[in-house]
Amino acid sequence: MELCDKYLHDYFTINPTINDFFCKDEWLHKRHIQPNIYSEPYYKSILDLNKRYKKILENVNNKTFHDKLLLRIVNYEIHMEEAYEIYMYMPVDCMDNILYEYVTECSGNGYYLFTDKQSFTDFIKRLSSLDDITNEIIKKMRHGIQKKITLYYRVIDSMIDMIQLILKHKSYEYKGNKKTFKFKKHFNENINKYLVKNLQKFLDFLLNEYYQHTSKTFGLHSVKGGKHAYNTIVQHETMKGCTPELIHKCGLRELKRLQKKIQKLQIKLHIPCIETYIKQNKSFYYSSKKEIINDLKKIRKDIKTYIFPKLFYGSCNEYDIKSVPPEKDVDFAYYMPSDLCNKNRGTFFINTSNPEKVNKHEMYVLSLHEGLPGHHYEFEYHRKHKIPDYFKYFGYNSYSEGWGLYCENLGVYNHDIKYYYKLHYEIQRVLRLIIDTAIHWYGWDYDRCFQLMKDNLTYDDSHIHNELGRYISMPGQAVTYKIGEKTILYLRKHFLDHGYSLKDFHKYIMDIGPCPLDTMLEII
């Protein structure tokens, strides 16, 4: 067993909920435990774990590939925990909140498997932990008020809207199936007793106590030590030496290149503005949720039949296609991998709440990214192949999202509007380079960020607000798509120039497995 999997076992003893993904029988005896992940004892346990493995790894003479990766990770985690206390006062945001996660789990849309009476009993014990967890979140945010370190008011607006939406639609309710229907009533009573009560408590805190203290500024640049933290984050997320300045300049350069391609497409179509043309053409949009799902199934079949066999060895399991649940309505599309035992299949989620706003021609590029050969193939390949379990759970955004964006280049764009959406999604990822660094490094104001997206994308205002909320809450994550893709494209050219096939290259990238981009460059 590699050290990273020994680390994983020790991590499980601190947070047994990870077994919802791994499905290990020998770990089921702790299925009922939900630790208070916002408490000081929990933070200390994780910090002690990282320091212990740092010491172990530094004393290993002949480190394996995965030893080196783990050492890099624990060093980063230790640094982030010890150097930047700002995160102590902002334990949750609009993207990361355990109460939202429990809405997903309770409704049956998460990894936890409800199979028999004991599984419900165990989960109810987890729910009972939410009282202490919610109290801890509020306590830390109150300390933030005292320290004058609070979340941006628009982030709190988003959180308030989301909780109100969850409570209105009761999206936490468990619907059940024939096998588990008899447990439904009792389970939903406990959901109300613990989850709903704490959602309401947190909502009341945000509305009546916290909101008046929210920050009117945002971005890491606006807090003490924030710029240094951001520089650390982006280099960890991408590669050493990849600074915010370089990322920003890359984004501006790439945006000009793509704007020229849009202009050429407009000339070809004899239209002054392709965005206006698309928005005004009602036939380009769906009329029902069912139509979207059926279309995605057809695209899934076409890619599996005509694209995948030409570029990849072997085969891949099929993925499911479902509508985004209400508690994740801020997301337009995302992929949720299967658990390690494939009891819950990998699923491509698409937002179908407003079909009339979903363009038929963008489904193809989304399918390449989220499904086959993008995230679904990536996660299924690693689930079945011999990489340590640790790296099946803790991945690298630049590897995974870079791969997803790279796969958008593998499609056949034989329709002008379909090709436009390929460019549109690439522009979105390029704007992320500019805006993520603008928010956290250069200190752009909100309106400037909003307008840049408005000028270059066909998204409505609410979609842009959701995107900006994501970048504010998850510094550095958004830059991983384009930096990862450019790295993979560079390596592909290197491979093809040396006489290898595309199939060989794709297999090589998958065999390396999740790792930082500079590590991938060193290997190849």
Side-chain angles (χ1 to χ4, degrees):
M1 179 188 291
E2 289 217 38
L3 275 171
C4 58
D5 279 346
K6 290 181 179 178
Y7 175 99
L8 182 69
H9 181 274
D10 290 345
Y11 185 91
F12 160 78
T13 64
I14 300 171
N15 189 350
T17 64
I18 65 169
N19 196 42
D20 295 351
F21 174 79
F22 289 105
C23 310
K24 294 180 183 289
D25 290 339
E26 63 269 28
W27 287 358
L28 283 176
H29 65 288
K30 290 192 174 184
R31 181 171 60 175
H32 62 289
I33 298 172
Q34 169 60 65
N36 186 343
I37 62 172
Y38 304 107
S39 70
E40 289 307 308
Y42 182 83
Y43 289 143
K44 187 177 185 306
S45 295
I46 298 296
L47 182 60
D48 288 346
L49 175 68
N50 286 330
K51 286 184 173 180
R52 180 157 56 88
Y53 272 86
K54 172 183 169 69
K55 188 174 182 180
I56 292 170
L57 287 159
E58 285 177 342
N59 288 324
V60 173
N61 291 325
N62 296 311
K63 295 180 183 64
T64 68
F65 171 67
H66 294 111
D67 288 343
K68 294 174 184 176
L69 293 186
L70 182 61
L71 180 57
R72 179 170 174 162
I73 291 167
V74 297
N75 277 328
Y76 172 76
E77 294 293 338
I78 291 167
H79 176 71
M80 295 303 292
E81 178 64 26
E82 292 187 330
Y84 310 112
E85 72 174 83
I86 54 174
Y87 292 107
M88 296 292 291
Y89 310 119
M90 300 184 288
V92 297
D93 53 48
C94 60
M95 300 302 296
D96 183 11
N97 188 328
I98 196 171
L99 297 176
Y100 295 172
E101 294 168 15
Y102 264 91
V103 172
T104 300
E105 295 294 339
C106 287
S107 64
N109 290 317
Y111 281 117
Y112 190 90
L113 292 173
F114 297 100
T115 55
D116 54 17
K117 184 177 179 179
Q118 188 59 48
S119 67
F120 283 91
T121 301
D122 288 340
F123 197 83
I124 290 168
K125 288 181 180 178
R126 284 194 194 182
L127 285 173
S128 67
S129 303
L130 293 181
D131 288 349
D132 288 340
I133 288 172
T134 305
N135 288 337
E136 188 70 38
I137 293 170
I138 291 172
K139 176 184 173 183
K140 281 188 161 46
M141 294 177 79
R142 281 179 176 149
H143 286 163
I145 293 172
Q146 294 169 5
K147 294 280 188 177
K148 293 183 169 33
I149 301 175
T150 56
L151 289 162
Y152 182 49
Y153 79 95
R154 289 181 183 272
V155 170
I156 298 301
D157 285 339
S158 178
M159 293 172 73
I160 289 169
D161 290 345
M162 180 55 66
I163 296 172
Q164 289 175 333
L165 188 71
I166 288 168
L167 294 173
K168 178 183 176 181
H169 293 289
K170 298 183 177 180
S171 46
Y172 45 77
E173 287 189 338
Y174 180 72
K175 304 297 188 296
N177 52 48
K178 289 181 179 179
K179 185 177 180 181
T180 61
F181 186 80
K182 58 186 175 182
F183 307 116
K184 174 183 171 182
K185 183 180 178 181
H186 177 64
F187 185 50
N188 281 331
E189 286 172 353
N190 279 278
I191 291 172
N192 279 286
K193 181 179 178 181
Y194 296 114
L195 177 57
V196 175
K197 181 187 73 174
N198 282 295
L199 282 166
Q200 290 171 333
K201 180 177 182 177
F202 187 56
L203 178 62
D204 289 342
F205 166 72
L206 294 179
L207 287 168
N208 301 317
E209 185 177 343
Y210 193 80
Y211 196 83
Q212 61 182 308
H213 300 286
T214 51
S215 175
K216 299 303 182 286
T217 60
F218 61 94
L220 284 177
H221 78 94
S222 65
V223 295
K224 184 179 178 181
K227 288 189 75 169
H228 189 272
Y230 183 65
N231 187 51
T232 301
I233 290 168
V234 296
Q235 293 197 50
H236 176 75
E237 288 280 8
T238 57
M239 64 180 84
K240 294 172 184 175
C242 195
T243 65
E245 292 95 338
L246 288 173
I247 292 170
H248 193 81
K249 288 177 183 177
C250 175
L252 293 171
R253 185 172 61 249
E254 288 288 293
L255 181 59
K256 287 182 181 178
R257 176 181 65 83
L258 291 165
Q259 285 171 334
K260 289 178 181 178
K261 288 196 172 187
I262 295 290
Q263 290 167 3
K264 287 182 181 179
L265 188 56
Q266 288 174 162
I267 293 169
K268 178 184 177 183
L269 294 171
H270 305 291
I271 54 176
C273 177
I274 193 167
E275 290 87 356
T276 303
Y277 169 74
I278 288 171
K279 285 181 178 179
Q280 292 176 345
N281 197 323
K282 300 301 180 185
S283 66
F284 288 166
Y285 294 86
Y286 292 103
S287 58
S288 69
K289 165 186 169 180
K290 184 178 179 181
E291 191 181 2
I292 297 174
I293 301 297
N294 286 341
D295 204 14
L296 283 170
K297 288 178 180 178
K298 182 179 180 299
I299 293 169
R300 179 182 64 189
K301 182 179 179 181
D302 288 347
I303 292 173
K304 187 174 183 178
T305 303
Y306 302 111
I307 302 293
F308 186 81
K310 295 178 182 178
L311 303 175
F312 295 87
Y313 293 116
S315 60
C316 184
N317 295 344
E318 202 162 80
Y319 56 90
D320 291 335
I321 300 167
K322 295 180 181 178
S323 296
V324 168
E327 73 277 7
K328 294 185 179 290
D329 193 56
V330 294
D331 295 317
F332 181 60
Y334 62 91
Y335 174 75
M336 181 175 171
S338 73
D339 55 63
L340 212 55
C341 301
N342 205 32
K343 292 178 180 178
N344 286 315
R345 290 212 307 181
T347 304
F348 171 16
F349 285 92
I350 183 71
N351 197 317
T352 60
S353 58
N354 296 292
E356 70 281 358
K357 294 183 179 181
V358 182
N359 195 291
K360 297 174 182 178
H361 299 289
E362 65 182 310
M363 294 297 100
Y364 183 74
V365 66
L366 274 174
S367 295
L368 289 166
H369 184 106
E370 307 291 356
L372 204 64
H375 289 323
H376 178 66
Y377 175 68
E378 170 203 349
F379 282 105
E380 283 297 292
Y381 191 98
H382 294 144
R383 182 176 70 82
K384 295 176 183 177
H385 287 73
K386 290 183 178 180
I387 67 168
D389 283 351
Y390 175 94
F391 288 99
K392 295 175 183 178
Y393 187 77
F394 296 101
Y396 277 90
N397 283 320
S398 55
Y399 177 93
S400 183
E401 299 300 355
W403 175 258
L405 179 53
Y406 166 79
C407 288
E408 294 176 22
N409 297 285
L410 302 179
V412 177
Y413 295 95
N414 52 8
H415 187 285
D416 288 328
I417 306 304
K418 186 189 288 186
Y419 175 64
Y420 164 78
Y421 272 100
K422 192 268 182 194
L423 296 178
H424 183 271
Y425 274 96
E426 190 174 359
I427 287 172
Q428 181 203 45
R429 278 47 169 269
V430 165
L431 288 174
R432 287 175 176 177
L433 300 181
I434 300 169
I435 292 174
D436 199 86
T437 50
I439 287 171
H440 297 288
W441 188 259
Y442 291 107
W444 286 18
D445 63 38
Y446 191 90
D447 290 342
R448 185 178 178 185
C449 296
F450 181 92
Q451 196 58 49
L452 184 64
M453 294 187 74
K454 186 80 172 173
D455 291 343
N456 288 279
L457 300 170
T458 59
Y459 296 152
D460 61 25
D461 289 1
S462 63
H463 193 155
I464 295 175
H465 286 308
N466 288 338
E467 285 286 305
L468 289 175
R470 171 183 170 177
Y471 309 153
I472 292 167
S473 298
M474 303 172 66
Q477 193 273 344
V479 307
T480 61
Y481 294 73
K482 192 63 185 174
I483 301 299
E485 180 226 26
K486 287 180 74 65
T487 304
I488 294 172
L489 286 171
Y490 169 80
L491 292 172
R492 183 177 77 174
K493 183 179 184 305
H494 178 82
F495 247 66
L496 298 183
D497 286 349
H498 284 75
Y500 294 97
S501 69
L502 263 180
K503 283 187 175 184
D504 293 331
F505 174 68
H506 294 153
K507 182 179 185 302
Y508 197 87
I509 294 295
M510 288 295 103
D511 285 343
I512 291 173
C515 65
L517 298 177
D518 44 2
T519 300
M520 190 156 54
L521 286 165
E522 287 169 8
I523 292 169
I524 295 179

